[in-house]
Amino acid sequence: MLSIGKLSGATGVKVPTIRYYEQIGLLPRAGRSTGNQRLYDRPAVERLAFIRHARELGFSLEDIRELLALADDPEKPCAAADLIAGRQLAAVNARLRRLEALRDELQRMLAQCTSGRIADCRVIEVLGNHALCAHDHAEAAGA
Amino acid sequence: MLSIGKLSGATGVKVPTIRYYEQIGLLPRAGRSTGNQRLYDRPAVERLAFIRHARELGFSLEDIRELLALADDPEKPCAAADLIAGRQLAAVNARLRRLEALRDELQRMLAQCTSGRIADCRVIEVLGNHALCAHDHAEAAGA
DNA sequence: CCCATATCTATAGTCGATACAGGTTTAGAC
DNA sequence: GTCTAAACCTGTATCGACTATAGATATGGG
């Protein structure tokens, strides 16, 4: 049985984050030592590693809640998991496209700046006037 | 002079967001009508459009605070604005690289899934075992 | 047995908004 | 001039996903 600190070390998830996951019901309530400290077994490590990996892939905690429910029921068809992953892929692709537009815009801004006075600064000017943009990058900043 | 609703319409920034910006000091306190409603002039529209555009380009509100201070002082050298924009470009490029790794991983997960039962689902399996990943995508999810 | 480290709970703060409740002002139709 | 619906006001709470803090308790190595 592992302490919360060892679990943290084994999974790379910070201690307060593990407690937070338990609090919101993403992890089951951990068993306790005589001194009321949390104790974890092997399956707990795997469950948390699954969560961490899914977070790295950009899944929301709600998505992960669904995925965990699916993973716990191996007889179900996996179309639902597919759907969640597909949704995630679409979101990632959308973010990619918008970020590419942003990158182009920022590069253009910087390339034009002659590093003179603010009055001549293209960075400030472009920010003040969307019409100077080469792209439509609305709502590109999110997530 | 424009009401807050007209300002919102003119800039695409939602009414509560405008009040929020005023609250955190990003916008100066607006003048008021006899009935205590906020009134805005032309320069206010430009300032808010500047903020909106910078937000779209992914600048944080703190970055924008700096950029506004620079924009208000046209005699200053623009190296500082350059620096902020360069920082932003680096952050965008980092996000892009990580998102590309994510996209590849999600595509791989989905391509391998035969849409059978959960027990055979590659999506679930890959999420449970980072070793199956082709890429290192740690911390790719953020922002 | 001691003490540094780890753990416990509860609460507040982060960022960038957004939502809501309950009240007031304004603008347009009649 | 009056009515009413829409827009506006303030203040507070909520969102997601944590992170930080304070003050108390438990554990483990020397």
PDB file of all heavy atoms in Angstrom, chain D residues 12-25:
ATOM      1  P    DT D  12     -21.159  41.892  -2.045  1.00  0.00           P
ATOM      2  OP1  DT D  12     -21.357  41.916  -0.578  1.00  0.00           O
ATOM      3  OP2  DT D  12     -19.871  42.299  -2.650  1.00  0.00           O
ATOM      4  O5'  DT D  12     -21.526  40.424  -2.552  1.00  0.00           O
ATOM      5  C5'  DT D  12     -22.866  39.950  -2.430  1.00  0.00           C
ATOM      6  C4'  DT D  12     -23.015  38.687  -3.264  1.00  0.00           C
ATOM      7  O4'  DT D  12     -22.956  39.039  -4.667  1.00  0.00           O
ATOM      8  C3'  DT D  12     -21.904  37.665  -3.020  1.00  0.00           C
ATOM      9  O3'  DT D  12     -22.501  36.456  -2.551  1.00  0.00           O
ATOM     10  C2'  DT D  12     -21.228  37.500  -4.376  1.00  0.00           C
ATOM     11  C1'  DT D  12     -22.316  37.984  -5.332  1.00  0.00           C
ATOM     12  N1   DT D  12     -21.800  38.488  -6.644  1.00  0.00           N
ATOM     13  C2   DT D  12     -22.259  37.904  -7.789  1.00  0.00           C
ATOM     14  O2   DT D  12     -23.055  36.995  -7.808  1.00  0.00           O
ATOM     15  N3   DT D  12     -21.743  38.427  -8.950  1.00  0.00           N
ATOM     16  C4   DT D  12     -20.827  39.453  -9.063  1.00  0.00           C
ATOM     17  O4   DT D  12     -20.452  39.835 -10.161  1.00  0.00           O
ATOM     18  C5   DT D  12     -20.382  40.035  -7.811  1.00  0.00           C
ATOM     19  C7   DT D  12     -19.392  41.143  -7.819  1.00  0.00           C
ATOM     20  C6   DT D  12     -20.877  39.526  -6.670  1.00  0.00           C
ATOM     21  P    DA D  13     -21.582  35.201  -2.179  1.00  0.00           P
ATOM     22  OP1  DA D  13     -22.169  34.620  -0.967  1.00  0.00           O
ATOM     23  OP2  DA D  13     -20.168  35.621  -2.216  1.00  0.00           O
ATOM     24  O5'  DA D  13     -21.856  34.205  -3.395  1.00  0.00           O
ATOM     25  C5'  DA D  13     -23.174  34.084  -3.921  1.00  0.00           C
ATOM     26  C4'  DA D  13     -23.148  33.179  -5.140  1.00  0.00           C
ATOM     27  O4'  DA D  13     -22.715  33.921  -6.294  1.00  0.00           O
ATOM     28  C3'  DA D  13     -22.198  31.987  -5.002  1.00  0.00           C
ATOM     29  O3'  DA D  13     -22.852  30.855  -5.551  1.00  0.00           O
ATOM     30  C2'  DA D  13     -20.980  32.420  -5.815  1.00  0.00           C
ATOM     31  C1'  DA D  13     -21.633  33.258  -6.909  1.00  0.00           C
ATOM     32  N9   DA D  13     -20.757  34.279  -7.497  1.00  0.00           N
ATOM     33  C8   DA D  13     -19.978  35.187  -6.847  1.00  0.00           C
ATOM     34  N7   DA D  13     -19.301  35.987  -7.645  1.00  0.00           N
ATOM     35  C5   DA D  13     -19.672  35.569  -8.908  1.00  0.00           C
ATOM     36  C6   DA D  13     -19.307  35.998 -10.195  1.00  0.00           C
ATOM     37  N6   DA D  13     -18.457  37.001 -10.416  1.00  0.00           N
ATOM     38  N1   DA D  13     -19.855  35.360 -11.252  1.00  0.00           N
ATOM     39  C2   DA D  13     -20.706  34.356 -11.023  1.00  0.00           C
ATOM     40  N3   DA D  13     -21.134  33.859  -9.869  1.00  0.00           N
ATOM     41  C4   DA D  13     -20.560  34.518  -8.833  1.00  0.00           C
ATOM     42  P    DT D  14     -22.189  29.427  -5.439  1.00  0.00           P
ATOM     43  OP1  DT D  14     -23.250  28.462  -5.111  1.00  0.00           O
ATOM     44  OP2  DT D  14     -20.966  29.551  -4.599  1.00  0.00           O
ATOM     45  O5'  DT D  14     -21.733  29.156  -6.940  1.00  0.00           O
ATOM     46  C5'  DT D  14     -22.676  29.232  -8.005  1.00  0.00           C
ATOM     47  C4'  DT D  14     -21.927  29.110  -9.317  1.00  0.00           C
ATOM     48  O4'  DT D  14     -21.192  30.314  -9.556  1.00  0.00           O
ATOM     49  C3'  DT D  14     -20.912  27.967  -9.335  1.00  0.00           C
ATOM     50  O3'  DT D  14     -21.393  26.950 -10.194  1.00  0.00           O
ATOM     51  C2'  DT D  14     -19.616  28.607  -9.836  1.00  0.00           C
ATOM     52  C1'  DT D  14     -20.048  29.979 -10.317  1.00  0.00           C
ATOM     53  N1   DT D  14     -19.052  31.077 -10.113  1.00  0.00           N
ATOM     54  C2   DT D  14     -18.507  31.693 -11.223  1.00  0.00           C
ATOM     55  O2   DT D  14     -18.781  31.377 -12.369  1.00  0.00           O
ATOM     56  N3   DT D  14     -17.623  32.698 -10.949  1.00  0.00           N
ATOM     57  C4   DT D  14     -17.233  33.138  -9.699  1.00  0.00           C
ATOM     58  O4   DT D  14     -16.430  34.052  -9.595  1.00  0.00           O
ATOM     59  C5   DT D  14     -17.830  32.449  -8.582  1.00  0.00           C
ATOM     60  C7   DT D  14     -17.471  32.845  -7.195  1.00  0.00           C
ATOM     61  C6   DT D  14     -18.702  31.469  -8.830  1.00  0.00           C
ATOM     62  P    DC D  15     -20.587  25.568 -10.295  1.00  0.00           P
ATOM     63  OP1  DC D  15     -21.547  24.531 -10.692  1.00  0.00           O
ATOM     64  OP2  DC D  15     -19.718  25.419  -9.101  1.00  0.00           O
ATOM     65  O5'  DC D  15     -19.613  25.851 -11.537  1.00  0.00           O
ATOM     66  C5'  DC D  15     -20.168  26.129 -12.817  1.00  0.00           C
ATOM     67  C4'  DC D  15     -19.054  26.438 -13.776  1.00  0.00           C
ATOM     68  O4'  DC D  15     -18.496  27.713 -13.447  1.00  0.00           O
ATOM     69  C3'  DC D  15     -17.887  25.467 -13.701  1.00  0.00           C
ATOM     70  O3'  DC D  15     -18.070  24.484 -14.710  1.00  0.00           O
ATOM     71  C2'  DC D  15     -16.652  26.333 -13.978  1.00  0.00           C
ATOM     72  C1'  DC D  15     -17.174  27.774 -13.910  1.00  0.00           C
ATOM     73  N1   DC D  15     -16.451  28.709 -13.013  1.00  0.00           N
ATOM     74  C2   DC D  15     -15.624  29.696 -13.569  1.00  0.00           C
ATOM     75  O2   DC D  15     -15.491  29.733 -14.797  1.00  0.00           O
ATOM     76  N3   DC D  15     -14.988  30.565 -12.753  1.00  0.00           N
ATOM     77  C4   DC D  15     -15.167  30.475 -11.429  1.00  0.00           C
ATOM     78  N4   DC D  15     -14.532  31.360 -10.665  1.00  0.00           N
ATOM     79  C5   DC D  15     -15.998  29.487 -10.844  1.00  0.00           C
ATOM     80  C6   DC D  15     -16.620  28.619 -11.665  1.00  0.00           C
ATOM     81  P    DG D  16     -17.485  23.041 -14.507  1.00  0.00           P
ATOM     82  OP1  DG D  16     -18.193  22.169 -15.463  1.00  0.00           O
ATOM     83  OP2  DG D  16     -17.448  22.709 -13.068  1.00  0.00           O
ATOM     84  O5'  DG D  16     -15.985  23.181 -14.991  1.00  0.00           O
ATOM     85  C5'  DG D  16     -15.683  23.651 -16.293  1.00  0.00           C
ATOM     86  C4'  DG D  16     -14.184  23.714 -16.437  1.00  0.00           C
ATOM     87  O4'  DG D  16     -13.689  24.871 -15.731  1.00  0.00           O
ATOM     88  C3'  DG D  16     -13.454  22.511 -15.840  1.00  0.00           C
ATOM     89  O3'  DG D  16     -12.367  22.223 -16.701  1.00  0.00           O
ATOM     90  C2'  DG D  16     -12.992  23.017 -14.481  1.00  0.00           C
ATOM     91  C1'  DG D  16     -12.698  24.473 -14.794  1.00  0.00           C
ATOM     92  N9   DG D  16     -12.810  25.412 -13.691  1.00  0.00           N
ATOM     93  C8   DG D  16     -13.604  25.328 -12.581  1.00  0.00           C
ATOM     94  N7   DG D  16     -13.469  26.368 -11.786  1.00  0.00           N
ATOM     95  C5   DG D  16     -12.539  27.169 -12.416  1.00  0.00           C
ATOM     96  C6   DG D  16     -11.990  28.412 -12.059  1.00  0.00           C
ATOM     97  O6   DG D  16     -12.222  29.087 -11.059  1.00  0.00           O
ATOM     98  N1   DG D  16     -11.073  28.872 -13.000  1.00  0.00           N
ATOM     99  C2   DG D  16     -10.739  28.220 -14.156  1.00  0.00           C
ATOM    100  N2   DG D  16      -9.857  28.803 -14.949  1.00  0.00           N
ATOM    101  N3   DG D  16     -11.245  27.056 -14.512  1.00  0.00           N
ATOM    102  C4   DG D  16     -12.130  26.596 -13.595  1.00  0.00           C
ATOM    103  P    DA D  17     -11.839  20.737 -16.777  1.00  0.00           P
ATOM    104  OP1  DA D  17     -11.421  20.462 -18.169  1.00  0.00           O
ATOM    105  OP2  DA D  17     -12.792  19.857 -16.090  1.00  0.00           O
ATOM    106  O5'  DA D  17     -10.527  20.847 -15.863  1.00  0.00           O
ATOM    107  C5'  DA D  17      -9.454  21.629 -16.323  1.00  0.00           C
ATOM    108  C4'  DA D  17      -8.536  21.933 -15.177  1.00  0.00           C
ATOM    109  O4'  DA D  17      -9.143  22.936 -14.323  1.00  0.00           O
ATOM    110  C3'  DA D  17      -8.224  20.741 -14.232  1.00  0.00           C
ATOM    111  O3'  DA D  17      -6.833  20.681 -14.029  1.00  0.00           O
ATOM    112  C2'  DA D  17      -8.961  21.120 -12.965  1.00  0.00           C
ATOM    113  C1'  DA D  17      -8.757  22.614 -13.017  1.00  0.00           C
ATOM    114  N9   DA D  17      -9.525  23.400 -12.060  1.00  0.00           N
ATOM    115  C8   DA D  17     -10.672  23.033 -11.405  1.00  0.00           C
ATOM    116  N7   DA D  17     -11.121  23.949 -10.568  1.00  0.00           N
ATOM    117  C5   DA D  17     -10.205  24.980 -10.692  1.00  0.00           C
ATOM    118  C6   DA D  17     -10.113  26.240 -10.072  1.00  0.00           C
ATOM    119  N6   DA D  17     -10.974  26.685  -9.165  1.00  0.00           N
ATOM    120  N1   DA D  17      -9.076  27.026 -10.421  1.00  0.00           N
ATOM    121  C2   DA D  17      -8.201  26.584 -11.333  1.00  0.00           C
ATOM    122  N3   DA D  17      -8.185  25.421 -11.988  1.00  0.00           N
ATOM    123  C4   DA D  17      -9.221  24.664 -11.623  1.00  0.00           C
ATOM    124  P    DC D  18      -6.082  19.322 -13.669  1.00  0.00           P
ATOM    125  OP1  DC D  18      -4.799  19.440 -14.325  1.00  0.00           O
ATOM    126  OP2  DC D  18      -7.011  18.233 -13.959  1.00  0.00           O
ATOM    127  O5'  DC D  18      -5.741  19.229 -12.176  1.00  0.00           O
ATOM    128  C5'  DC D  18      -5.736  20.020 -11.032  1.00  0.00           C
ATOM    129  C4'  DC D  18      -5.382  21.445 -11.178  1.00  0.00           C
ATOM    130  O4'  DC D  18      -6.540  22.170 -10.774  1.00  0.00           O
ATOM    131  C3'  DC D  18      -4.251  21.864 -10.284  1.00  0.00           C
ATOM    132  O3'  DC D  18      -3.158  22.355 -11.045  1.00  0.00           O
ATOM    133  C2'  DC D  18      -4.805  22.964  -9.403  1.00  0.00           C
ATOM    134  C1'  DC D  18      -6.141  23.320 -10.049  1.00  0.00           C
ATOM    135  N1   DC D  18      -7.203  23.632  -9.067  1.00  0.00           N
ATOM    136  C2   DC D  18      -7.255  24.911  -8.507  1.00  0.00           C
ATOM    137  O2   DC D  18      -6.425  25.755  -8.856  1.00  0.00           O
ATOM    138  N3   DC D  18      -8.219  25.201  -7.592  1.00  0.00           N
ATOM    139  C4   DC D  18      -9.105  24.279  -7.257  1.00  0.00           C
ATOM    140  N4   DC D  18     -10.032  24.605  -6.372  1.00  0.00           N
ATOM    141  C5   DC D  18      -9.069  22.960  -7.831  1.00  0.00           C
ATOM    142  C6   DC D  18      -8.106  22.676  -8.721  1.00  0.00           C
ATOM    143  P    DT D  19      -1.671  22.323 -10.418  1.00  0.00           P
ATOM    144  OP1  DT D  19      -0.748  22.694 -11.504  1.00  0.00           O
ATOM    145  OP2  DT D  19      -1.506  21.046  -9.692  1.00  0.00           O
ATOM    146  O5'  DT D  19      -1.674  23.497  -9.327  1.00  0.00           O
ATOM    147  C5'  DT D  19      -1.577  24.841  -9.751  1.00  0.00           C
ATOM    148  C4'  DT D  19      -1.578  25.732  -8.532  1.00  0.00           C
ATOM    149  O4'  DT D  19      -2.861  25.698  -7.895  1.00  0.00           O
ATOM    150  C3'  DT D  19      -0.559  25.336  -7.468  1.00  0.00           C
ATOM    151  O3'  DT D  19       0.258  26.489  -7.265  1.00  0.00           O
ATOM    152  C2'  DT D  19      -1.399  24.964  -6.248  1.00  0.00           C
ATOM    153  C1'  DT D  19      -2.676  25.736  -6.499  1.00  0.00           C
ATOM    154  N1   DT D  19      -3.919  25.180  -5.899  1.00  0.00           N
ATOM    155  C2   DT D  19      -4.701  26.001  -5.123  1.00  0.00           C
ATOM    156  O2   DT D  19      -4.399  27.154  -4.877  1.00  0.00           O
ATOM    157  N3   DT D  19      -5.843  25.425  -4.641  1.00  0.00           N
ATOM    158  C4   DT D  19      -6.279  24.139  -4.857  1.00  0.00           C
ATOM    159  O4   DT D  19      -7.330  23.748  -4.368  1.00  0.00           O
ATOM    160  C5   DT D  19      -5.418  23.330  -5.682  1.00  0.00           C
ATOM    161  C7   DT D  19      -5.801  21.927  -5.977  1.00  0.00           C
ATOM    162  C6   DT D  19      -4.293  23.883  -6.158  1.00  0.00           C
ATOM    163  P    DA D  20       1.413  26.481  -6.154  1.00  0.00           P
ATOM    164  OP1  DA D  20       2.481  27.363  -6.647  1.00  0.00           O
ATOM    165  OP2  DA D  20       1.700  25.080  -5.770  1.00  0.00           O
ATOM    166  O5'  DA D  20       0.708  27.209  -4.924  1.00  0.00           O
ATOM    167  C5'  DA D  20      -0.003  28.416  -5.152  1.00  0.00           C
ATOM    168  C4'  DA D  20      -0.465  28.976  -3.822  1.00  0.00           C
ATOM    169  O4'  DA D  20      -1.717  28.353  -3.439  1.00  0.00           O
ATOM    170  C3'  DA D  20       0.503  28.731  -2.668  1.00  0.00           C
ATOM    171  O3'  DA D  20       0.561  29.919  -1.901  1.00  0.00           O
ATOM    172  C2'  DA D  20      -0.141  27.583  -1.886  1.00  0.00           C
ATOM    173  C1'  DA D  20      -1.617  27.856  -2.117  1.00  0.00           C
ATOM    174  N9   DA D  20      -2.481  26.681  -2.043  1.00  0.00           N
ATOM    175  C8   DA D  20      -2.304  25.479  -2.660  1.00  0.00           C
ATOM    176  N7   DA D  20      -3.261  24.609  -2.425  1.00  0.00           N
ATOM    177  C5   DA D  20      -4.125  25.299  -1.593  1.00  0.00           C
ATOM    178  C6   DA D  20      -5.331  24.941  -0.988  1.00  0.00           C
ATOM    179  N6   DA D  20      -5.916  23.741  -1.126  1.00  0.00           N
ATOM    180  N1   DA D  20      -5.950  25.852  -0.206  1.00  0.00           N
ATOM    181  C2   DA D  20      -5.375  27.057  -0.068  1.00  0.00           C
ATOM    182  N3   DA D  20      -4.246  27.510  -0.589  1.00  0.00           N
ATOM    183  C4   DA D  20      -3.661  26.579  -1.360  1.00  0.00           C
ATOM    184  P    DT D  21       1.737  30.115  -0.865  1.00  0.00           P
ATOM    185  OP1  DT D  21       2.349  31.432  -1.145  1.00  0.00           O
ATOM    186  OP2  DT D  21       2.564  28.902  -0.831  1.00  0.00           O
ATOM    187  O5'  DT D  21       0.945  30.228   0.513  1.00  0.00           O
ATOM    188  C5'  DT D  21      -0.250  31.005   0.601  1.00  0.00           C
ATOM    189  C4'  DT D  21      -1.053  30.555   1.787  1.00  0.00           C
ATOM    190  O4'  DT D  21      -1.756  29.341   1.453  1.00  0.00           O
ATOM    191  C3'  DT D  21      -0.226  30.221   3.028  1.00  0.00           C
ATOM    192  O3'  DT D  21      -0.425  31.247   4.007  1.00  0.00           O
ATOM    193  C2'  DT D  21      -0.747  28.871   3.499  1.00  0.00           C
ATOM    194  C1'  DT D  21      -2.004  28.681   2.675  1.00  0.00           C
ATOM    195  N1   DT D  21      -2.347  27.267   2.339  1.00  0.00           N
ATOM    196  C2   DT D  21      -3.555  26.777   2.790  1.00  0.00           C
ATOM    197  O2   DT D  21      -4.331  27.428   3.457  1.00  0.00           O
ATOM    198  N3   DT D  21      -3.806  25.478   2.437  1.00  0.00           N
ATOM    199  C4   DT D  21      -2.992  24.653   1.686  1.00  0.00           C
ATOM    200  O4   DT D  21      -3.339  23.509   1.432  1.00  0.00           O
ATOM    201  C5   DT D  21      -1.742  25.231   1.249  1.00  0.00           C
ATOM    202  C7   DT D  21      -0.785  24.418   0.447  1.00  0.00           C
ATOM    203  C6   DT D  21      -1.479  26.500   1.594  1.00  0.00           C
ATOM    204  P    DA D  22       0.412  31.222   5.347  1.00  0.00           P
ATOM    205  OP1  DA D  22       0.599  32.632   5.746  1.00  0.00           O
ATOM    206  OP2  DA D  22       1.589  30.328   5.210  1.00  0.00           O
ATOM    207  O5'  DA D  22      -0.633  30.549   6.337  1.00  0.00           O
ATOM    208  C5'  DA D  22      -2.017  30.916   6.298  1.00  0.00           C
ATOM    209  C4'  DA D  22      -2.733  30.176   7.401  1.00  0.00           C
ATOM    210  O4'  DA D  22      -3.174  28.891   6.910  1.00  0.00           O
ATOM    211  C3'  DA D  22      -1.853  29.889   8.614  1.00  0.00           C
ATOM    212  O3'  DA D  22      -2.638  30.050   9.781  1.00  0.00           O
ATOM    213  C2'  DA D  22      -1.417  28.443   8.417  1.00  0.00           C
ATOM    214  C1'  DA D  22      -2.631  27.849   7.708  1.00  0.00           C
ATOM    215  N9   DA D  22      -2.334  26.735   6.809  1.00  0.00           N
ATOM    216  C8   DA D  22      -1.247  26.576   5.998  1.00  0.00           C
ATOM    217  N7   DA D  22      -1.265  25.469   5.289  1.00  0.00           N
ATOM    218  C5   DA D  22      -2.454  24.863   5.654  1.00  0.00           C
ATOM    219  C6   DA D  22      -3.070  23.664   5.274  1.00  0.00           C
ATOM    220  N6   DA D  22      -2.544  22.828   4.375  1.00  0.00           N
ATOM    221  N1   DA D  22      -4.250  23.352   5.832  1.00  0.00           N
ATOM    222  C2   DA D  22      -4.790  24.185   6.732  1.00  0.00           C
ATOM    223  N3   DA D  22      -4.304  25.349   7.170  1.00  0.00           N
ATOM    224  C4   DA D  22      -3.124  25.628   6.590  1.00  0.00           C
ATOM    225  P    DG D  23      -1.885  30.190  11.205  1.00  0.00           P
ATOM    226  OP1  DG D  23      -2.488  31.339  11.894  1.00  0.00           O
ATOM    227  OP2  DG D  23      -0.426  30.085  10.997  1.00  0.00           O
ATOM    228  O5'  DG D  23      -2.382  28.864  11.931  1.00  0.00           O
ATOM    229  C5'  DG D  23      -3.751  28.494  11.879  1.00  0.00           C
ATOM    230  C4'  DG D  23      -3.861  27.042  12.243  1.00  0.00           C
ATOM    231  O4'  DG D  23      -3.519  26.231  11.093  1.00  0.00           O
ATOM    232  C3'  DG D  23      -2.901  26.618  13.366  1.00  0.00           C
ATOM    233  O3'  DG D  23      -3.619  25.787  14.269  1.00  0.00           O
ATOM    234  C2'  DG D  23      -1.811  25.857  12.623  1.00  0.00           C
ATOM    235  C1'  DG D  23      -2.656  25.207  11.525  1.00  0.00           C
ATOM    236  N9   DG D  23      -1.908  24.681  10.395  1.00  0.00           N
ATOM    237  C8   DG D  23      -0.741  25.140   9.838  1.00  0.00           C
ATOM    238  N7   DG D  23      -0.333  24.414   8.824  1.00  0.00           N
ATOM    239  C5   DG D  23      -1.288  23.416   8.702  1.00  0.00           C
ATOM    240  C6   DG D  23      -1.390  22.333   7.795  1.00  0.00           C
ATOM    241  O6   DG D  23      -0.625  22.029   6.866  1.00  0.00           O
ATOM    242  N1   DG D  23      -2.523  21.561   8.033  1.00  0.00           N
ATOM    243  C2   DG D  23      -3.432  21.799   9.025  1.00  0.00           C
ATOM    244  N2   DG D  23      -4.452  20.947   9.114  1.00  0.00           N
ATOM    245  N3   DG D  23      -3.355  22.816   9.889  1.00  0.00           N
ATOM    246  C4   DG D  23      -2.263  23.571   9.665  1.00  0.00           C
ATOM    247  P    DA D  24      -2.924  25.166  15.574  1.00  0.00           P
ATOM    248  OP1  DA D  24      -3.731  25.644  16.711  1.00  0.00           O
ATOM    249  OP2  DA D  24      -1.461  25.378  15.543  1.00  0.00           O
ATOM    250  O5'  DA D  24      -3.215  23.601  15.386  1.00  0.00           O
ATOM    251  C5'  DA D  24      -4.557  23.171  15.117  1.00  0.00           C
ATOM    252  C4'  DA D  24      -4.514  21.748  14.612  1.00  0.00           C
ATOM    253  O4'  DA D  24      -3.804  21.712  13.356  1.00  0.00           O
ATOM    254  C3'  DA D  24      -3.795  20.764  15.551  1.00  0.00           C
ATOM    255  O3'  DA D  24      -4.619  19.621  15.752  1.00  0.00           O
ATOM    256  C2'  DA D  24      -2.520  20.428  14.812  1.00  0.00           C
ATOM    257  C1'  DA D  24      -2.946  20.592  13.356  1.00  0.00           C
ATOM    258  N9   DA D  24      -1.829  20.860  12.441  1.00  0.00           N
ATOM    259  C8   DA D  24      -0.956  21.920  12.456  1.00  0.00           C
ATOM    260  N7   DA D  24      -0.056  21.885  11.505  1.00  0.00           N
ATOM    261  C5   DA D  24      -0.350  20.722  10.815  1.00  0.00           C
ATOM    262  C6   DA D  24       0.241  20.105   9.686  1.00  0.00           C
ATOM    263  N6   DA D  24       1.289  20.614   9.052  1.00  0.00           N
ATOM    264  N1   DA D  24      -0.305  18.955   9.251  1.00  0.00           N
ATOM    265  C2   DA D  24      -1.358  18.449   9.898  1.00  0.00           C
ATOM    266  N3   DA D  24      -2.005  18.936  10.958  1.00  0.00           N
ATOM    267  C4   DA D  24      -1.444  20.083  11.372  1.00  0.00           C
ATOM    268  P    DT D  25      -4.167  18.515  16.800  1.00  0.00           P
ATOM    269  OP1  DT D  25      -5.422  18.056  17.427  1.00  0.00           O
ATOM    270  OP2  DT D  25      -3.028  19.023  17.584  1.00  0.00           O
ATOM    271  O5'  DT D  25      -3.621  17.345  15.880  1.00  0.00           O
ATOM    272  C5'  DT D  25      -4.527  16.639  15.032  1.00  0.00           C
ATOM    273  C4'  DT D  25      -3.732  15.677  14.187  1.00  0.00           C
ATOM    274  O4'  DT D  25      -2.710  16.394  13.462  1.00  0.00           O
ATOM    275  C3'  DT D  25      -3.005  14.578  14.960  1.00  0.00           C
ATOM    276  O3'  DT D  25      -3.440  13.342  14.398  1.00  0.00           O
ATOM    277  C2'  DT D  25      -1.541  14.842  14.696  1.00  0.00           C
ATOM    278  C1'  DT D  25      -1.589  15.562  13.356  1.00  0.00           C
ATOM    279  N1   DT D  25      -0.433  16.426  12.998  1.00  0.00           N
ATOM    280  C2   DT D  25       0.347  16.065  11.913  1.00  0.00           C
ATOM    281  O2   DT D  25       0.158  15.061  11.258  1.00  0.00           O
ATOM    282  N3   DT D  25       1.375  16.925  11.654  1.00  0.00           N
ATOM    283  C4   DT D  25       1.692  18.082  12.323  1.00  0.00           C
ATOM    284  O4   DT D  25       2.644  18.777  11.973  1.00  0.00           O
ATOM    285  C5   DT D  25       0.832  18.411  13.436  1.00  0.00           C
ATOM    286  C7   DT D  25       1.079  19.642  14.232  1.00  0.00           C
ATOM    287  C6   DT D  25      -0.181  17.573  13.720  1.00  0.00           C
TER     288       DT D  25
END
